[in-house]
């Protein structure tokens, strides 16, 4: 997710924090300190309410992180590659590969809501205990609020609409019953579109009534709708590319350039010969060594282009998506790195034999969809 920064690891999974995450904490803390706590436990100073509100917001954010960690840990145990976890203004996102079976998808999807529901029960019980046994009313209020919030989070995520966890569970069930993964993904995506639309409408009515929660509902609904559309498009694309090998899609013997050239020379002698966003690189031994992105090269100051080597500003091979001609294209896309948006490098014995770009994939998908339509 753009605009996020790395912040160590949790359970061995890279953790990233989006710039909107602090905004989420501030908004949650302000709402708790400015309304909920004074109503539940009156008579405290504004400073005490602010501190308690911040503590509650941080506690809930930590709960969101545990929710996402449950997905990640379950996925890794099932052999699914987990890229990272990102906390942002509307919750958390875990980037991971595709499950191999409906059962695995069900287990990974259910792990998050189940964690939230269990946490909610524990924190809620702790809140009641702090109030009745220890007579700490303010601590009790914060814990009770966080407990109910976790229960609500778990229940909300069980709504059968992609990209919510309930949508993934629905997809797993439809996949298991019908055996058609792409169709199950499309159905869950359409449910997500409907749920997102209803959330936006509900939020709009709340805004008209003058309640602050309305805007929040509209934002969540918009996110759900956009994500659901992306899910449907992905399902259509995967269905069209089923059975396609990298060799069927790749551009053979693409233009490539030496990684030891200076940026100035590379722009003049190599980049000027193509309109592509990136050009593959090779080293002195003729081995593939990375990708030179036009944008990165253009950002090198003109005064330094005669000294800086292309390899110093290129995407190194270790960060590129590398495939072999016989590889299944869908499988390659599932493990693709961010650099795949530029090109997938097709390599044999270390040497570049082709590239696969987004245009290559889209063209192949359109051709197969048209052929399928003409047959039916």
């Amino acid at each position: 997710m753009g605009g996020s920064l790395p912040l160590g690891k949790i359970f061995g999974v890279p953790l990233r924090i989006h710039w909107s995450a602090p905004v989420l904490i501030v908004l949650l803390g302000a709402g708790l300190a400015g309304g909920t706590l004074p109503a539940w436990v009156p008579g405290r100073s504004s400073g005490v309410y602010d501190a308690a509100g911040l503590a509650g917001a941080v506690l809930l954010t930590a709960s969101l992180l545990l929710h996402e960690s449950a997905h990640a840990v379950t996925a890794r145990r099932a052999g699914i590659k987990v890229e990272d976890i990102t906390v942002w203004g509307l919750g958390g996102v875990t980037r991971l590969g595709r499950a191999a079976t409906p059962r695995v998808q069900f287990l990974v999807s259910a792990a998050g809501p189940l964690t939230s529901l269990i946490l909610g029960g524990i924190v809620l019980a702790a809140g009641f205990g702090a109030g009745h046994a220890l007579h700490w009313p303010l601590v009790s209020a914060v814990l009770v609020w966080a407990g109910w919030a976790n229960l609500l989070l778990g229940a909300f995520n069980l709504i059968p609409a992609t990209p919510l966890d309930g949508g993934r569970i629905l997809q797993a069930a439809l996949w298991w019953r019908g055996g058609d993964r792409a169709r199950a993904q499309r159905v869950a995506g359409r449910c997500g579109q409907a749920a997102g639309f209803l959330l936006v409408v509900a939020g709009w009515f709340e805004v008209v009534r003058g309640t602050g929660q309305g805007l929040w509902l509209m934002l969540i609904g918009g996110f759900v709708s956009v994500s659901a559309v992306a899910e449907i498009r992905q399902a259509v694309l995967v269905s069209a590319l089923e059975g396609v090998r990298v060799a069927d899609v790749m551009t053979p013997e693409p233009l490539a350039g030496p990684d030891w050239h200076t940026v100035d020379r590379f722009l003049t002698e190599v980049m000027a010969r193509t309109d592509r966003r990136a050009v593959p690189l090779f080293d002195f031994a003729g081995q593939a060594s990375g990708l030179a992105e036009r944008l990165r090269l253009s950002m090198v100051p003109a005064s330094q282009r005669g000294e800086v080597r292309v390899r110093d500003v290129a995407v190194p091979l270790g960060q590129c998506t590398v495939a072999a001609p016989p590889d299944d294209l869908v499988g390659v896309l599932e493990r693709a790195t961010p650099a795949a948006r530029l090109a997938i490098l097709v390599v044999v014995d270390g040497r570049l034999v082709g590239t696969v770009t987004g245009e290559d994939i889209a063209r192949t998908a359109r051709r197969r969809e048209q052929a399928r339509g003409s047959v039916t």
Side-chain angles (χ1 to χ4, degrees), residues 98 171 180-187 189 228-242 369 372:
R98 284 157 59 93
Q171 181 182 335
D180 189 335
R181 179 176 190 159
R183 181 180 180 280
Q185 189 174 2
R186 289 196 299 271
V187 173
V229 171
E231 287 281 338
I232 295 172
R233 289 176 177 171
Q234 182 189 37
V236 172
L237 179 64
V238 169
S239 178
L241 297 176
E242 187 176 359
E369 280 294 310
R372 186 179 301 175

Side-chain angles (χ1 to χ4, degrees), residues 10 25 97 131 145 212 217 220 226 256 315-316 320 342 373 376:
I10 179 169
I25 294 175
W145 175 85
L217 281 175
I220 294 174
V226 171
V315 181
C320 296
L342 302 172
T376 57

